[in-house]
Protein backbone atom coordinates (compact mmCIF):
# COMPACT_ATOMS: atom_id res chain seq x y z
CA UNK A 1 0.00 0.00 0.00
CA UNK A 2 1.63 3.22 -1.17
CA UNK A 3 -0.31 5.50 1.18
CA UNK A 4 -1.03 4.65 4.80
CA UNK A 5 -1.73 6.37 8.10
CA UNK A 6 0.34 6.13 11.26
CA UNK A 7 -0.08 8.16 14.46
CA UNK A 8 -2.62 10.44 12.76
CA UNK A 9 -0.09 11.24 10.01
CA UNK A 10 -0.10 9.98 6.42
CA UNK A 11 2.98 8.20 5.08
CA UNK A 12 4.11 7.55 1.52
CA UNK A 13 5.74 4.28 0.51
CA UNK A 14 6.39 3.21 -3.11
CA UNK A 15 9.16 1.80 -5.32
CA UNK A 16 10.41 3.67 -8.36
CA UNK A 17 10.95 2.20 -11.82
CA UNK A 18 14.66 1.83 -11.05
CA UNK A 19 13.92 -0.11 -7.87
CA UNK A 20 14.58 2.67 -5.35
CA UNK A 21 12.21 2.69 -2.39
CA UNK A 22 10.70 6.04 -1.47
CA UNK A 23 9.40 6.04 2.08
CA UNK A 24 8.66 9.28 3.95
CA UNK A 25 6.07 11.13 5.96
CA UNK A 26 3.65 13.34 4.07
CA UNK A 27 3.70 15.69 7.08
CA UNK A 28 -0.07 16.02 7.00
CA UNK A 29 -3.14 14.38 8.48
CA UNK A 30 -5.19 15.32 5.40
CA UNK A 31 -5.47 12.40 2.98
CA UNK A 32 -6.04 14.59 -0.09
CA UNK A 33 -2.87 16.58 0.61
CA UNK A 34 -0.94 13.35 1.20
CA UNK A 35 -2.28 11.87 -2.04
CA UNK A 36 -1.25 15.00 -3.95
CA UNK A 37 2.29 14.78 -2.59
CA UNK A 38 2.41 11.06 -3.34
CA UNK A 39 1.38 11.61 -6.96
CA UNK A 40 3.90 14.43 -7.37
CA UNK A 41 6.76 12.35 -5.99
CA UNK A 42 5.81 9.36 -8.11
CA UNK A 43 5.58 11.45 -11.29
CA UNK A 44 8.89 13.07 -10.51
CA UNK A 45 10.58 9.72 -9.96
CA UNK A 46 9.27 8.54 -13.35
CA UNK A 47 10.70 11.62 -15.10
CA UNK A 48 14.03 11.05 -13.37
CA UNK A 49 14.20 7.38 -14.35
CA UNK A 50 12.73 7.58 -17.86
CA UNK A 51 13.63 11.06 -19.06
CA UNK A 52 16.90 11.53 -17.20
CA UNK A 53 15.74 14.64 -15.37
CA UNK A 54 17.49 15.67 -12.17
CA UNK A 55 15.64 14.64 -9.06
CA UNK A 56 14.05 17.48 -7.10
CA UNK A 57 15.16 17.41 -3.46
CA UNK A 58 13.26 19.02 -0.61
CA UNK A 59 14.46 21.28 2.18
CA UNK A 60 13.60 18.52 4.68
CA UNK A 61 15.96 16.12 2.93
CA UNK A 62 18.71 18.74 2.88
CA UNK A 63 18.23 19.55 6.58
CA UNK A 64 18.33 15.88 7.52
CA UNK A 65 21.50 15.31 5.50
CA UNK A 66 23.11 18.40 7.03
CA UNK A 67 22.40 17.17 10.57
CA UNK A 68 23.76 13.75 9.69
CA UNK A 69 27.01 15.15 8.29
CA UNK A 70 27.53 17.69 11.09
CA UNK A 71 26.53 15.54 14.05
CA UNK A 72 30.11 15.69 15.37
CA UNK A 73 30.16 19.49 15.59
CA UNK A 74 29.79 21.39 18.83
CA UNK A 75 26.96 23.46 17.31
CA UNK A 76 24.90 20.41 16.34
CA UNK A 77 22.28 20.87 19.06
CA UNK A 78 21.91 24.56 18.19
CA UNK A 79 21.35 23.64 14.54
CA UNK A 80 18.61 21.20 15.56
CA UNK A 81 16.78 23.96 17.40
CA UNK A 82 17.13 26.42 14.52
CA UNK A 83 15.91 23.87 11.98
CA UNK A 84 12.84 23.17 14.08
CA UNK A 85 11.97 26.85 13.91
CA UNK A 86 12.69 27.04 10.18
CA UNK A 87 10.49 24.03 9.45
CA UNK A 88 7.33 26.13 9.69
CA UNK A 89 8.50 28.16 6.69
CA UNK A 90 10.59 25.69 4.66
CA UNK A 91 9.10 22.31 5.51
CA UNK A 92 7.96 20.47 2.36
CA UNK A 93 9.47 23.05 -0.02
CA UNK A 94 11.67 21.98 -2.90
CA UNK A 95 15.19 23.40 -2.73
CA UNK A 96 14.54 25.18 -6.01
CA UNK A 97 11.66 26.98 -4.31
CA UNK A 98 13.91 28.37 -1.57
CA UNK A 99 14.69 31.60 -3.38
CA UNK A 100 16.42 34.75 -2.25
CA UNK A 101 13.07 36.42 -1.54
CA UNK A 102 11.85 33.45 0.50
CA UNK A 103 15.00 33.50 2.63
CA UNK A 104 14.80 37.27 3.07
CA UNK A 105 11.20 36.92 4.27
CA UNK A 106 12.24 34.34 6.85
CA UNK A 107 15.04 36.62 8.02
CA UNK A 108 12.60 39.51 8.42
CA UNK A 109 10.25 37.38 10.52
CA UNK A 110 13.07 36.29 12.82
CA UNK A 111 14.40 39.84 13.03
CA UNK A 112 10.97 41.03 14.23
CA UNK A 113 11.22 38.55 17.11
CA UNK A 114 14.90 38.76 18.05
CA UNK A 115 18.17 40.61 17.56
CA UNK A 116 20.05 41.01 14.29
CA UNK A 117 22.66 38.55 15.54
CA UNK A 118 20.04 35.87 16.22
CA UNK A 119 18.42 36.41 12.83
CA UNK A 120 21.84 36.19 11.17
CA UNK A 121 22.57 32.83 12.78
CA UNK A 122 19.38 31.41 11.25
CA UNK A 123 20.16 32.96 7.86
CA UNK A 124 23.73 31.68 7.99
CA UNK A 125 22.46 28.14 8.60
CA UNK A 126 20.13 28.35 5.59
CA UNK A 127 23.01 29.68 3.49
CA UNK A 128 25.37 26.91 4.62
CA UNK A 129 22.87 24.16 3.80
CA UNK A 130 22.04 25.60 0.38
CA UNK A 131 25.71 26.04 -0.48
CA UNK A 132 26.47 22.45 0.45
CA UNK A 133 23.46 21.27 -1.55
CA UNK A 134 24.91 23.11 -4.53
CA UNK A 135 28.68 22.62 -4.22
CA UNK A 136 28.98 19.18 -2.60
CA UNK A 137 25.74 17.27 -3.06
CA UNK A 138 24.97 18.77 -6.50
CA UNK A 139 21.26 18.85 -5.71
CA UNK A 140 20.76 22.34 -7.13
CA UNK A 141 22.55 24.33 -9.80
CA UNK A 142 22.95 27.53 -7.84
CA UNK A 143 22.47 28.62 -4.24
CA UNK A 144 20.62 31.93 -3.77
CA UNK A 145 22.47 34.86 -2.26
CA UNK A 146 21.68 35.34 1.41
CA UNK A 147 22.14 38.84 2.81
CA UNK A 148 22.80 39.18 6.54
CA UNK A 149 21.79 42.05 8.78
CA UNK A 150 24.32 44.60 9.95
CA UNK A 151 25.18 43.87 13.55
CA UNK A 152 26.26 46.46 16.13
CA UNK A 153 29.78 46.21 17.47
CA UNK A 154 30.18 43.82 20.35
CA UNK A 155 29.53 45.49 23.67
CA UNK A 156 32.08 45.61 26.48
CA UNK A 157 30.20 46.10 29.75
CA UNK A 158 32.16 45.89 32.97
CA UNK A 159 31.79 47.06 36.55
CA UNK A 160 34.23 48.57 39.00
CA UNK A 161 35.55 46.83 42.14
CA UNK A 162 33.32 49.12 44.22
CA UNK A 163 30.22 48.03 42.27
CA UNK A 164 31.34 44.43 42.60
CA UNK A 165 31.48 44.70 46.39
CA UNK A 166 27.95 46.12 46.41
CA UNK A 167 26.70 43.27 44.22
CA UNK A 168 28.38 40.59 46.34
CA UNK A 169 26.63 41.94 49.44
CA UNK A 170 23.27 41.34 47.75
CA UNK A 171 23.91 37.74 46.64
CA UNK A 172 23.23 34.45 48.36
CA UNK A 173 26.30 32.42 49.32
CA UNK A 174 26.19 29.98 46.38
CA UNK A 175 25.70 32.87 43.91
CA UNK A 176 28.47 34.88 45.56
CA UNK A 177 30.96 32.04 45.16
CA UNK A 178 30.07 31.61 41.49
CA UNK A 179 30.40 35.34 40.78
CA UNK A 180 33.77 35.45 42.53
CA UNK A 181 34.95 32.38 40.61
CA UNK A 182 33.86 33.95 37.32
CA UNK A 183 35.78 37.12 38.17
CA UNK A 184 38.82 35.12 39.30
CA UNK A 185 39.03 32.92 36.18
CA UNK A 186 37.10 34.59 33.37
CA UNK A 187 35.31 31.31 32.59
CA UNK A 188 32.20 31.40 30.47
CA UNK A 189 28.89 30.55 32.10
CA UNK A 190 28.49 27.10 30.53
CA UNK A 191 32.04 26.06 31.35
CA UNK A 192 31.62 27.11 34.96
CA UNK A 193 28.21 25.58 35.63
CA UNK A 194 29.36 22.37 33.95
CA UNK A 195 32.72 22.25 35.75
CA UNK A 196 33.44 18.80 37.20
CA UNK A 197 35.96 17.79 39.85
CA UNK A 198 37.70 15.66 37.23
CA UNK A 199 38.68 18.93 35.50
CA UNK A 200 40.30 20.42 38.61
CA UNK A 201 43.73 19.84 40.14
CA UNK A 202 43.98 21.84 43.37
CA UNK A 203 47.56 20.74 44.07
CA UNK A 204 48.78 22.07 40.73
CA UNK A 205 46.31 24.97 41.00
CA UNK A 206 44.89 24.42 37.55
CA UNK A 207 41.65 23.56 35.76
CA UNK A 208 41.03 22.67 32.14
CA UNK A 209 38.22 22.82 29.63
CA UNK A 210 38.22 20.22 26.85
CA UNK A 211 38.14 21.54 23.30
CA UNK A 212 34.73 20.01 22.66
CA UNK A 213 33.32 22.14 25.48
CA UNK A 214 35.27 25.34 24.69
CA UNK A 215 33.77 27.97 22.43
CA UNK A 216 36.82 28.15 20.16
CA UNK A 217 37.19 24.37 19.93
CA UNK A 218 40.64 24.28 21.56
CA UNK A 219 41.58 22.94 24.99
CA UNK A 220 41.70 25.71 27.57
CA UNK A 221 44.10 25.72 30.52
CA UNK A 222 42.97 27.82 33.49
CA UNK A 223 45.46 28.94 36.12
CA UNK A 224 43.80 29.14 39.53
CA UNK A 225 44.74 32.08 41.74
CA UNK A 226 44.41 32.09 45.54
CA UNK A 227 40.78 33.23 45.46
CA UNK A 228 39.76 30.57 42.93
CA UNK A 229 41.43 27.83 45.01
CA UNK A 230 39.72 29.10 48.16
CA UNK A 231 36.30 29.01 46.46
CA UNK A 232 36.87 25.48 45.16
CA UNK A 233 37.91 24.24 48.58
CA UNK A 234 34.60 25.54 49.96
CA UNK A 235 32.72 23.40 47.42
CA UNK A 236 34.49 20.14 48.27
CA UNK A 237 32.23 17.39 49.56
CA UNK A 238 29.00 18.96 48.33
CA UNK A 239 28.67 16.80 45.21
CA UNK A 240 30.65 13.78 43.92
CA UNK A 241 30.87 15.05 40.35
CA UNK A 242 29.96 18.71 39.86
CA UNK A 243 31.71 21.66 41.49
CA UNK A 244 28.95 24.25 41.83
CA UNK A 245 25.69 23.10 43.39
CA UNK A 246 22.67 24.38 45.31
CA UNK A 247 20.98 22.22 47.90
CA UNK A 248 22.84 19.18 46.69
CA UNK A 249 21.93 19.57 43.01
CA UNK A 250 24.19 20.86 40.19
CA UNK A 251 23.49 24.42 39.12
CA UNK A 252 22.44 24.50 35.49
CA UNK A 253 21.40 28.13 35.04
CA UNK A 254 22.60 31.36 36.61
CA UNK A 255 20.29 33.96 35.06
CA UNK A 256 17.77 33.48 37.84
CA UNK A 257 15.31 35.76 39.58
CA UNK A 258 17.73 35.94 42.51
CA UNK A 259 20.54 37.15 40.26
CA UNK A 260 18.38 39.80 38.60
CA UNK A 261 16.99 40.96 41.94
CA UNK A 262 20.50 41.33 43.37
CA UNK A 263 21.50 43.48 40.38
CA UNK A 264 18.46 45.68 40.94
CA UNK A 265 19.20 46.12 44.64
CA UNK A 266 22.83 46.95 43.82
CA UNK A 267 21.59 49.51 41.26
CA UNK A 268 23.62 47.89 38.46
CA UNK A 269 21.82 48.22 35.13
CA UNK A 270 22.32 46.66 31.70
CA UNK A 271 24.53 43.89 33.11
CA UNK A 272 24.45 40.22 32.12
CA UNK A 273 26.21 37.25 33.63
CA UNK A 274 28.57 37.14 30.62
CA UNK A 275 29.64 40.68 31.54
CA UNK A 276 31.52 39.17 34.48
CA UNK A 277 33.91 37.80 31.86
CA UNK A 278 34.17 41.29 30.33
CA UNK A 279 34.90 42.63 33.81
CA UNK A 280 37.66 40.05 34.37
CA UNK A 281 39.28 40.93 31.03
CA UNK A 282 38.89 44.68 31.56
CA UNK A 283 40.52 44.59 34.99
CA UNK A 284 43.47 42.60 33.66
CA UNK A 285 44.06 45.00 30.75
CA UNK A 286 43.74 48.03 33.01
CA UNK A 287 46.50 46.63 35.20
CA UNK A 288 48.99 45.99 32.42
CA UNK A 289 48.21 42.49 31.10
CA UNK A 290 49.31 42.36 27.42
CA UNK A 291 46.52 41.59 24.96
CA UNK A 292 48.36 38.48 23.70
CA UNK A 293 48.48 37.04 27.23
CA UNK A 294 44.81 37.90 27.73
CA UNK A 295 43.94 36.04 24.53
CA UNK A 296 45.69 32.92 25.81
CA UNK A 297 44.14 33.16 29.27
CA UNK A 298 40.61 33.69 27.98
CA UNK A 299 40.74 31.18 25.14
CA UNK A 300 39.79 33.62 22.39
CA UNK A 301 40.31 32.29 18.89
CA UNK A 302 41.46 35.52 17.30
CA UNK A 303 43.26 38.66 18.40
CA UNK A 304 40.39 40.71 16.98
CA UNK A 305 38.15 39.53 19.82
CA UNK A 306 40.65 40.82 22.38
CA UNK A 307 41.20 44.22 20.75
CA UNK A 308 37.86 45.28 22.23
CA UNK A 309 39.71 45.81 25.50
CA UNK A 310 42.69 47.73 24.10
CA UNK A 311 41.19 51.14 24.88
CA UNK A 312 41.09 50.21 28.58
CA UNK A 313 44.89 50.23 28.89
CA UNK A 314 45.86 53.92 28.49
CA UNK A 315 48.63 53.63 31.08
CA UNK A 316 50.19 50.67 29.28
CA UNK A 317 49.89 52.48 25.95
CA UNK A 318 51.47 55.57 27.48
CA UNK A 319 54.46 53.50 28.64
CA UNK A 320 54.85 52.06 25.17
CA UNK A 321 54.61 55.54 23.62
CA UNK A 322 57.28 56.73 26.06
CA UNK A 323 59.76 54.31 24.48
CA UNK A 324 59.50 56.17 21.16
CA UNK A 325 59.65 59.46 23.04
CA UNK A 326 62.98 58.47 24.58
CA UNK A 327 64.43 57.26 21.28
CA UNK A 328 63.37 60.40 19.45
CA UNK A 329 64.64 62.62 22.26
CA UNK A 330 68.06 60.95 22.09
CA UNK A 331 68.06 61.27 18.30
CA UNK A 332 67.17 64.96 18.38
CA UNK A 333 69.75 65.66 21.11
CA UNK A 334 72.48 63.94 19.08
CA UNK A 335 71.48 65.83 15.96
CA UNK A 336 71.58 69.18 17.75
CA UNK A 337 74.96 68.37 19.27
CA UNK A 338 76.31 67.53 15.82
CA UNK A 339 74.89 70.75 14.34
CA UNK A 340 76.47 72.84 17.11
CA UNK A 341 79.84 71.20 16.53
CA UNK A 342 79.57 71.87 12.81
CA UNK A 343 78.78 75.53 13.50
CA UNK A 344 81.79 75.88 15.77
CA UNK A 345 84.05 74.20 13.20
CA UNK A 346 82.67 76.47 10.45
CA UNK A 347 83.37 79.60 12.49
CA UNK A 348 87.02 78.75 13.17
CA UNK A 349 89.69 80.60 11.13
Amino acid sequence: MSLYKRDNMWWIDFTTVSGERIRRSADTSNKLEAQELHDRLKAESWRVDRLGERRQYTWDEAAAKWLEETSHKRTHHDDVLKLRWLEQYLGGKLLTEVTRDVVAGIGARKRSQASAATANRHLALIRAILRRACDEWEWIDKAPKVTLYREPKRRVRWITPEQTRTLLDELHEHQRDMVLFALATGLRQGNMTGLCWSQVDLERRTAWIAGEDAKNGDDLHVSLNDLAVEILQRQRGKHPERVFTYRGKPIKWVNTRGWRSALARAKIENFRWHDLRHTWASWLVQHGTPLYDLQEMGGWKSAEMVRRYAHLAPAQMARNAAVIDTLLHDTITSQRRLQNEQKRDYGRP
Side-chain angles (χ1 to χ4, degrees):
M1 189 174 182
S2 58
L3 197 63
Y4 63 94
K5 201 171 189 180
R6 188 175 71 185
D7 296 331
N8 200 37
M9 194 69 67
W10 286 98
W11 280 73
I12 297 168
D13 189 352
F14 67 90
T15 302
T16 67
V17 176
S18 61
E20 179 186 1
R21 185 182 183 186
I22 304 296
R23 184 175 181 270
R24 53 161 292 182
S25 169
D27 294 323
T28 180
S29 58
N30 186 300
K31 186 175 182 179
L32 290 177
E33 293 178 356
Q35 186 67 55
E36 181 181 348
L37 178 60
H38 166 274
D39 295 343
R40 181 158 59 89
L41 291 176
K42 201 163 187 178
E44 178 190 322
S45 68
W46 185 88
R47 291 195 302 272
V48 170
D49 292 335
R50 293 302 189 189
L51 305 179
E53 293 183 5
R54 171 186 281 180
R55 180 188 163 192
Q56 291 286 316
Y57 291 89
T58 65
W59 168 261
D60 308 87
E61 292 173 300
K65 188 172 179 63
W66 171 269
L67 291 177
E68 179 183 353
E69 293 186 356
T70 60
S71 60
H72 62 286
K73 292 188 176 181
R74 183 175 51 83
T75 57
H76 178 75
H77 180 66
D78 293 336
D79 286 352
V80 171
L81 296 179
K82 293 185 184 72
L83 288 171
R84 285 178 184 170
W85 185 85
L86 291 170
E87 185 178 4
Q88 60 186 314
Y89 303 110
L90 297 175
K93 282 186 177 294
L94 297 174
L95 288 179
T96 52
E97 296 175 332
V98 185
T99 63
R100 181 177 182 177
D101 290 339
V102 169
V103 176
I106 294 172
R109 294 185 187 96
K110 192 62 183 178
R111 181 65 184 90
S112 66
Q113 304 170 1
S115 66
T118 300
N120 282 344
R121 285 193 286 270
H122 285 73
L123 291 172
L125 178 58
I126 297 174
R127 179 175 62 184
I129 293 176
L130 292 176
R131 284 180 175 177
R132 185 168 294 192
C134 176
D135 300 335
E136 296 186 24
W137 307 332
E138 297 182 349
W139 287 3
I140 53 178
D141 293 324
K142 183 180 179 181
K145 183 178 179 180
V146 177
T147 303
L148 303 182
Y149 291 97
R150 183 183 296 275
E151 297 183 32
K153 292 184 178 181
R154 291 181 178 269
R155 69 200 288 274
V156 176
R157 174 75 169 94
W158 58 279
I159 55 177
T160 65
E162 291 74 17
Q163 289 175 305
T164 302
R165 283 192 289 269
T166 303
L167 175 60
L168 292 173
D169 289 340
E170 299 294 341
L171 293 168
H172 295 294
E173 182 180 351
H174 70 284
Q175 293 174 315
R176 188 182 306 119
D177 278 347
M178 293 187 71
V179 168
L180 286 171
F181 194 77
L183 291 171
T185 62
L187 278 180
R188 293 181 172 89
Q189 173 185 324
N191 294 141
M192 192 173 65
T193 56
L195 189 65
C196 297
W197 289 113
S198 59
Q199 299 171 256
V200 177
D201 188 335
L202 287 174
E203 291 185 5
R204 296 175 56 199
R205 299 169 64 92
T206 186
W208 54 90
I209 306 298
E212 61 186 19
D213 297 320
K215 186 174 181 180
N216 69 355
D218 295 332
D219 293 344
L220 175 63
H221 167 87
V222 182
S223 296
L224 302 175
N225 54 29
D226 291 342
L227 177 59
V229 171
E230 178 185 333
I231 294 169
L232 290 173
Q233 287 175 338
R234 287 203 293 267
Q235 314 309 314
R236 297 180 73 173
K238 294 183 178 180
H239 195 273
E241 179 183 354
R242 300 284 279 276
V243 173
F244 293 104
T245 61
Y246 179 58
R247 295 180 178 176
K249 296 182 179 181
I251 294 175
K252 298 180 179 180
W253 189 246
V254 292
N255 185 24
T256 62
R257 183 186 303 173
W259 161 254
R260 295 190 294 271
S261 297
L263 288 172
R265 291 193 299 271
K267 294 181 172 55
I268 298 176
E269 300 177 348
N270 188 30
F271 193 82
R272 308 168 303 180
W273 185 275
H274 187 73
D275 294 329
L276 294 171
R277 177 172 165 86
H278 288 318
T279 300
W280 167 81
S282 300
W283 287 359
L284 285 174
V285 171
Q286 289 169 4
H287 288 79
T289 301
L291 294 182
Y292 176 79
D293 291 345
L294 180 65
Q295 181 181 347
E296 291 294 313
M297 294 171 67
W300 280 283
K301 192 74 172 179
S302 66
E304 181 181 355
M305 299 294 293
V306 187
R307 292 194 193 103
R308 295 177 292 173
Y309 306 102
H311 68 286
L312 297 172
Q316 180 70 18
M317 299 304 177
R319 286 193 292 271
N320 294 336
V323 174
I324 298 298
D325 185 46
T326 301
L327 292 173
L328 288 175
H329 182 270
D330 292 343
T331 300
I332 293 172
T333 301
S334 299
Q335 183 186 31
R336 288 175 179 173
R337 186 183 300 112
L338 179 60
Q339 290 174 344
N340 291 334
E341 290 177 355
Q342 291 174 343
K343 287 180 180 180
R344 286 196 300 270
D345 291 342
Y346 181 77
R348 288 174 183 172

